[in-house]
Amino acid sequence: MTRPVPAIVILGNGSLATARRIQQVYPDALIHGLAERVDGADHVYREFGSTLRELYQQGTPIIALCAAGIVIRTLAPLLLEKGAEPPVLAVAEDGSAVVPLLGGLGGVNVMAREIAAALDVSAAITTSGELRFGTCLLNPPSGYVLGDLELGKRFVSDLLAGETVRIEGSAPWLAQAQLPEDAQARLAVHVGHAERTPQANELLIYPRSVVVAVSGAVSDLSNAIRQALHQAAIAVQSLACLLAPDTEMTHPALRETARELGVPLRFAKAETDMGELARNAVGQPVSILGDDAIAIAVADNPLDPLLIGRPRGRLAVIGLGPGAAELMVPAVKSELARANDVLGYETYVRMAGPFRADQVLHCTDNREEMQRARHAFELAAQGRSVVVVSSGDPGVFAMAAAVLEALHESTDVHWHNVDLEILPGVSASLATAAQAGAPLGHDFCVLSLSDNLKPWAIIEKRLDLAAQADLALAFYNPISRSRPWQLGQALEIVARHRGPETPVVLGRDIGRPGQTLRVTTLGLLTPDQVDMRTMVLIGSSLTCVFPRADGGEWVYTPRWYGEKPAS
Ligand code: SAH
């Protein structure tokens, strides 16, 4: 069963050697190095505090090669918030000390021991129970779940006070712990899938050894499952996953119920009998309880949901924003983290990185959009988690429409079953406008000047009408080597309706290294000032410009039109 991949964060070149040794323990982990201080990191960050907090909030285990105090101060504002607490460790930059700081229940001590072993030092473990017994009873390995944390804490403090303990049920990992076992002990660790009210002297640990196979058509699904488990005297905590027929992949009740029960949802080849469905999908001996509609399959040992049936495939079309990581929405970052496959134009795929070794990149030429969209569905239909990358917003002259067109044309039910989502980004016109002030502060019109996929005549007509309507204009794809004359013609059309003093903003590579922003006028604008990496914003008759204190200029279009209202 998989654990989340940690991030190794370093502040200077002095830590790189130690970071690489730690990376050998976690080969998929990336080394995040501070810009201009670290050469040869896998990923470059600019701001330590925001980077660390973001990783923490995403639940990424953090191995920071710096003073423990820095890490504590940086994460302190987040510690009072509720939510998952990933493991956080501070490691001395020379590898001489490994200090687990947070995430006791997320396995931080296990990681501390693993890292310490690789660095040939001992981990600074401070958890009493763990020191005494060599394992954290409250943090069973994956495949097992603790019944109740508060009862568990009391149980461990009784043990620490010198009591002995009995172990009931099968718990292979506990055999390696140095527990003070005694068959007559008052305290007992009970491992099993049965529903049970814990006695005062009992620590309950549930193996995730149960699968419920169900159709989404069952009414009041979540309650029906809880009731079926209760009737079979099986603890809901023992549920490893929910299993459903693959003909019901899009059923909202299944997804909702799996989320509510906190278990993965998997699908297997449809059978009328749910018991049969479960037996085939689990692939090891199970006893089947329940009834025709809700079958409960119970195995002897914990089950790995990743090996049962398959998940519903997912396809997300994401917008990276203009380029800078700070301008990428958090939902896009998490989507990239969960992706198995990433498709897109090579430049954008590279911008979306860094990626882990287990993520597959499919880089293609910029013009192969429909082929890329179909390839994305083929991968997602296999149950993979697929991301198609666009710059800016995916719905603005980019991949979202191509993906939907491919789906619309397809009769393949597997494609239509994919969990498809479009995640927005900051489009180039908006990123450029924000840097200039608010040139699009009133009604505006967005046009692509590319006549690759539409006739030039329609572009001329739209330009003419938009300019006539006194809309501010945003030009995407303004010019390219194969389209050298179009921009000049477009500017002529605009000039029929707008004066030479009309403000113009040119944003080039906005949000990317070497970005430039120019404020000029329609009269002074010539096509040679523009290339395919430029955004052209043309003001309306009311757009105005005034100096900034720092020497530049602010451009804005007022919110009103006609006469300025009294304020
Ligand atoms: N989906 C993208 C647009 C793709 S069309 C978005 O929403 O931004 C490509 C055109 O967008 C380029 O020719 C250029 O005009 C503009 N563009 C994209 N990124 C840009 C950036 N970082 N700075 C300036 N213009 C950009």
Side-chain angles (χ1 to χ4, degrees):
M1 281 166 235
T2 47
R3 286 195 289 171
V5 179
I8 304 167
V9 185
I10 65 175
L11 288 158
N13 276 330
S15 316
L16 203 51
T18 305
R20 293 273 177 233
R21 288 172 73 191
I22 296 172
Q23 200 175 32
Q24 284 173 4
V25 185
Y26 310 106
D28 287 337
L30 297 176
I31 297 175
H32 299 242
L34 182 58
E36 281 142 37
R37 291 288 171 79
V38 180
D39 311 309
D42 304 321
H43 177 57
V44 175
Y45 66 86
R46 306 214 153 259
E47 227 266 295
F48 180 76
S50 57
T51 303
L52 217 62
R53 285 190 287 272
E54 197 169 285
L55 288 166
Y56 183 89
Q57 280 169 321
Q58 286 170 2
T60 307
I62 298 171
I63 303 165
L65 275 73
C66 62
I70 298 179
V71 183
I72 293 169
R73 247 190 302 279
T74 305
L75 295 179
L78 304 180
L79 298 183
L80 289 177
E81 283 174 21
K82 257 201 153 136
E85 185 177 278
V88 178
L89 302 99
V91 176
E93 73 165 39
D94 63 357
S96 60
V98 180
V99 189
L101 295 173
L102 295 167
L105 299 175
V108 76
N109 288 331
V110 175
M111 286 181 70
R113 287 181 207 280
E114 287 167 351
I115 296 169
L119 298 175
D120 214 9
V121 294
S122 51
I125 305 283
T126 52
T127 323
S128 325
E130 178 127 6
L131 284 174
R132 191 84 68 81
F133 312 127
T135 182
C136 180
L137 268 182
L138 303 182
N139 177 32
S142 63
Y144 296 87
V145 55
L146 180 69
D148 182 288
L149 181 59
E150 289 314 310
L151 291 178
K153 285 182 180 165
R154 210 173 57 222
F155 187 91
V156 170
S157 57
D158 284 351
L159 267 186
L160 285 169
E163 289 220 35
T164 53
V165 65
R166 281 175 290 134
I167 297 178
E168 298 173 0
S170 152
W173 90 97
L174 281 182
Q176 287 149 31
Q178 298 109 41
L179 290 174
E181 279 188 64
D182 177 353
Q184 310 304 320
R186 185 184 70 93
L187 298 179
V189 175
H190 182 90
V191 185
H193 60 251
E195 186 177 58
R196 199 177 157 99
T197 319
Q199 316 282 306
N201 52 358
E202 209 176 35
L203 181 73
L204 294 186
I205 292 178
Y206 300 97
R208 290 192 179 270
S209 55
V210 176
V211 170
V212 164
V214 69
S215 157
V218 172
S219 61
D220 196 8
L221 190 56
S222 158
N223 275 332
I225 291 172
R226 286 177 193 278
Q227 219 154 44
L229 286 168
H230 179 65
Q231 263 162 23
I234 289 177
V236 66
Q237 292 93 330
S238 291
L239 199 55
C241 68
L242 211 58
L243 188 65
D246 58 7
T247 45
E248 296 188 10
M249 272 193 182
T250 57
H251 212 300
L254 286 168
R255 179 197 216 151
E256 206 30 63
T257 303
R259 190 179 1 232
E260 200 236 303
L261 293 168
V263 294
L265 174 60
R266 311 283 297 185
F267 295 91
K269 196 172 150 312
E271 303 274 354
T272 35
D273 180 53
M274 291 297 144
E276 206 49 36
L277 182 100
R279 206 185 288 281
N280 291 342
V282 172
Q284 55 173 284
V286 284
S287 35
I288 303 286
L289 311 168
D291 55 32
D292 295 351
I294 302 182
I296 303 168
V298 184
D300 288 338
N301 294 304
L303 294 166
D304 184 349
L306 293 180
L307 303 178
I308 298 173
R310 66 179 197 78
R312 180 182 180 193
R314 178 163 169 92
L315 173 51
V317 191
I318 62 151
L320 296 175
E326 305 89 83
L327 293 184
M328 194 191 285
V329 307
V332 165
K333 290 185 184 172
S334 352
E335 195 66 43
L336 284 166
R338 73 190 267 196
N340 302 124
D341 297 273
V342 181
L343 291 82
Y345 178 45
E346 183 162 5
T347 312
Y348 301 149
V349 171
R350 230 180 300 123
M351 253 164 63
F355 294 102
R356 302 182 306 268
D358 60 297
Q359 297 182 297
V360 187
L361 309 183
H362 310 263
C363 298
T364 43
D365 192 81
N366 212 2
R367 290 170 186 264
E368 297 167 9
E369 279 109 350
M370 288 312 292
Q371 208 177 314
R372 183 188 300 146
R374 289 189 281 263
H375 187 196
F377 275 110
E378 275 158 21
L379 292 165
Q382 292 163 26
R384 299 176 69 84
S385 193
V386 181
V387 163
V388 171
V389 181
S390 283
S391 80
D393 182 273
V396 179
F397 310 121
M399 283 305 295
V403 163
L404 287 165
E405 193 178 332
L407 183 61
H408 194 186
E409 280 170 2
S410 166
T411 52
D412 188 335
V413 60
H414 297 109
W415 287 25
H416 286 269
N417 277 347
V418 163
D419 176 18
L420 173 64
E421 198 170 347
I422 320 294
L423 299 176
V426 177
S427 193
S429 56
L430 304 183
T432 303
Q435 292 212 359
L440 307 178
H442 192 78
D443 299 344
F444 64 98
C445 174
V446 168
L447 289 148
S448 166
L449 295 193
S450 166
D451 55 354
N452 285 340
L453 298 171
K454 60 184 168 184
W456 178 250
I458 189 77
I459 301 179
E460 285 195 336
K461 181 175 174 188
R462 288 177 178 180
L463 269 168
D464 188 50
L465 292 171
Q468 192 183 325
D470 202 18
L471 294 161
L473 305 171
F475 293 162
Y476 286 77
N477 301 313
I479 197 165
S480 77
R481 220 169 295 155
S482 57
R483 293 182 287 104
W485 53 264
Q486 284 87 337
L487 178 61
Q489 206 136 320
L491 294 176
E492 271 174 35
I493 295 171
V494 176
R496 283 185 216 148
H497 306 280
R498 242 162 260 188
E501 68 298 338
T502 304
V504 168
V505 175
L506 301 178
R508 184 173 192 272
D509 279 343
I510 293 299
R512 299 180 191 168
Q515 66 165 29
T516 57
L517 186 80
R518 274 180 71 181
V519 178
T520 179
T521 62
L522 192 56
L524 293 175
L525 179 61
T526 50
D528 62 301
Q529 297 161 350
V530 175
D531 68 4
M532 63 183 290
R533 284 146 66 181
T534 309
M535 185 73 229
V536 180
L537 304 180
I538 300 179
S540 75
S541 64
L542 287 177
T543 303
C544 39
V545 178
F546 66 96
R548 301 188 196 208
D550 67 5
E553 284 168 310
W554 286 117
V555 183
Y556 77 100
T557 306
R559 293 158 302 133
W560 44 266
Y561 200 81
E563 290 298 308
K564 182 175 167 61
S567 51

